[in-house]
Each structure stands twice: as structure tokens, then as C-alpha cells.
Amino acid sequence: MATYAIGDIQGCYDELQALLETIGFTDSDRLWLAGDLVNRGPKSLETLRFLYQIRDRVTVTLGNHDLHMLAVYSKAIKPRRSDTFHDILNAPDAKQLMKWLRHQPLLITDEQLGYTMVHAGIPPQWSLGKASKRAREVETILQSTLATEFFKHMYGNQPACWSGKLKGWDRLRTITNYFTRMRFCDSMGRMEFSAKGTLSSQPTGFRPWFSHEGKTLHETKLIFGHWAALEGKAETENVFALDTGCVWGGKLTALRLEDQALFSVNSNMRYGN
């Protein structure tokens, strides 16, 4: 039995199947998926249906594209022209698939394996315990009758920094942005959203979130996706960047948690807009 963590799939179903064949995925193995299961790629419906079929062996952390699709499905917002998940919205099993997705976490941790996974990041001032509690705050709303109202207030870059005094939608939006959108932040956890490039492209006063001397980094090994420009190179010990840009013509990558072996398959083509 092995556990494999895979970066952003984004509807690249054919590459996912090729990667599972490459790693020799069996019925006794498990998958950790770092979010952004859907959108931009060509086969979001096939991807989600497959993962739902093997859901007993799959652990997902929600990404920004997953949350965006759930917001569109709930009619909290209108779809964007670039969205490619319309096949899911119109599928006869959409309700079943969306319910399953909406009940996935923002953060998972396994003390025995010694890993924690989020889609984007964890601010440096949060311990693992605090990060887990913050994640539960948003997950509780997502899984409640307030989910649609949450989606209406989910979008936006403010507040850009955590404060324990934050309340209501501002508090939940900030938590969500840390877990699903963050790349660069300052030492106090203030996020910068415009920069999406490599490690060397950091704006003045900001650094990659995992390069700060954060509390969580001392407690666990960290897995994340979201940042395709890194090409899988976080250059920080015990931090694993698994978004290797499959949807942009790069690769789809898996990390075997037990021995940190990496596996990848090349993208069939560039899908993203």
C-alpha cells in the first residue's frame, strides 16, 4: 500500500490515467489530490466522475478552481468565458458530484505519514493546529445551508492579512485566500496577489509563503499545488510543490509519500487559456 500526492489535474483526465499507470496504482493505494481538479483542461467531467468512483481511496483539498465551480453551480455568480466545466454543470449526476466536492476539506494532515497538504499555502504565523481550526471554519460553512451566501462573498483580495479580530465574511474570505490563492506574502502573512511568476519574481517586501520561518514548517512536511511557474521546485526542505503545469503543456506529477519518489507524465498538449 502506498500514498501518492498529485498536483493540479484541472481536467487533464488522459494525463491522470497515464500517471496512474506509470506509478502502478492499485486498489490498495491511496491518492492525495492538491486541489484544482477541474477547469481549463478538456475533461473536467471525466476527471470528477472517475475520482468520485474511487472516492474511498481519494483525499482532496479544495482549490480555487474547485470553489469557483461550486460557486457557479450554486448560482452565486455567473460563469466566466474561460471556464471549461460546463459539462459538469449540465451532467445528470451533477448534484451528486457537487455534493461530494463541497464536502472536501481545505487542509489535510496525517501525523503517521508526517505530511500536511493544502492547495496554495499556509501563512507563516499559523501553527498547524491553528491552520486546521481555520480550515474547519470555512469547511463548516461550505457544508451548510450558508454555502451559497458564502460564495457570494468569497471573491476579493481584501483583507490581505490575517487578524484574530476579523469576523464574518471578511474572516472567511481571508482564510480561503490563504489556503487556495496565496503565493507571495510578507513575514506577517500579508498576501500579494498580482505576482504569479517564479521564485525570483517576488515583489519588493514579499517572499514565497514557504520561504518565511513559519511555525507550520517545523511541525510537518508540506505539500501544495497552485503555483505552476515553480515547475515543482520549491527549493525548501520538506516542502513539495506539485503543480507542474500539466494544463499549460507541462507535466502531471505524483509524489509517493512513503519514500518521496517523484513520478510524472508529459502533457498531451497545452489546454489552458
Side-chain angles (χ1 to χ4, degrees):
M1 175 180 174
T3 303
Y4 296 91
I6 297 179
D8 303 34
I9 301 170
Q10 294 199 248
C12 297
Y13 173 79
D14 293 341
E15 289 84 349
L16 173 61
Q17 293 302 319
L19 181 57
L20 294 180
E21 183 176 351
T22 296
I23 64 179
F25 187 68
T26 70
D27 291 342
S28 62
D29 295 329
R30 292 193 56 83
L31 292 181
W32 281 23
L33 304 176
D36 280 3
L37 308 180
V38 300
N39 211 13
R40 289 193 169 136
K43 295 184 178 181
S44 289
L45 179 58
E46 289 92 333
T47 299
L48 206 57
R49 278 178 171 167
F50 169 72
L51 297 175
Y52 181 79
Q53 288 172 1
I54 63 168
R55 60 191 180 278
D56 291 342
R57 294 184 285 136
V58 171
T59 301
V60 175
T61 53
L62 291 169
N64 51 302
H65 283 279
D66 307 317
L67 290 173
H68 174 61
M69 181 178 68
L70 287 168
V72 172
Y73 178 74
S74 73
K75 302 190 184 319
I77 65 162
K78 294 181 179 180
R80 298 166 179 162
R81 290 185 179 181
S82 59
D83 290 338
T84 66
F85 49 66
H86 299 87
D87 51 353
I88 298 179
L89 303 181
N90 299 320
D93 52 346
K95 183 176 181 180
Q96 182 181 57
L97 295 172
M98 294 296 186
K99 181 179 180 181
W100 173 72
L101 191 63
R102 188 163 56 87
H103 282 75
Q104 302 311 304
L106 291 175
L107 176 150
I108 63 167
T109 188
D110 187 309
E111 293 183 2
Q112 184 174 357
L113 287 172
Y115 288 89
T116 294
M117 183 172 71
V118 294
H119 176 62
I122 299 174
Q125 70 271 36
W126 288 357
S127 66
L128 181 57
K130 287 187 177 180
S132 298
K133 289 179 180 179
R134 304 293 178 254
R136 299 295 92 78
E137 289 184 45
V138 177
E139 292 161 11
T140 298
I141 296 295
L142 281 174
Q143 297 167 21
S144 76
T145 56
L146 293 173
T148 299
E149 194 64 23
F150 164 74
F151 290 134
K152 291 178 182 178
H153 295 86
M154 180 178 69
Y155 295 84
N157 296 342
Q158 298 297 326
C161 190
W162 172 254
S163 167
K165 296 180 180 179
L166 289 175
K167 296 181 180 180
W169 302 122
D170 282 351
R171 181 183 179 94
L172 295 174
R173 185 187 311 111
T174 304
I175 295 170
T176 303
N177 282 341
Y178 278 129
F179 288 129
T180 67
R181 296 183 59 212
M182 178 171 60
R183 293 184 179 91
F184 293 101
C185 70
D186 65 16
S187 60
M188 299 302 295
R190 183 173 302 278
M191 293 174 278
E192 203 287 332
F193 293 104
S194 62
K196 301 180 181 180
T198 62
L199 295 179
S200 61
S201 68
Q202 58 197 30
T204 302
F206 294 88
R207 291 162 53 186
W209 64 268
F210 49 82
S211 70
H212 295 283
E213 191 68 17
K215 295 180 180 179
T216 309
L217 296 176
H218 297 293
E219 300 177 82
T220 183
K221 295 184 281 289
L222 284 169
I223 298 168
F224 70 102
H226 184 60
W227 201 340
L230 297 183
E231 297 181 342
K233 300 172 184 177
E235 299 181 3
T236 300
E237 186 178 4
N238 290 329
V239 176
F240 303 89
L242 293 186
D243 180 3
T244 46
C246 184
V247 77
W248 304 110
K251 299 178 180 180
L252 189 64
T253 296
L255 170 73
R256 188 164 59 204
L257 303 192
E258 287 78 8
D259 60 1
Q260 298 181 7
L262 286 167
F263 307 84
S264 64
V265 296
N266 292 324
S267 173
N268 290 335
M269 62 183 295
R270 180 188 173 100
Y271 302 117
N273 296 318

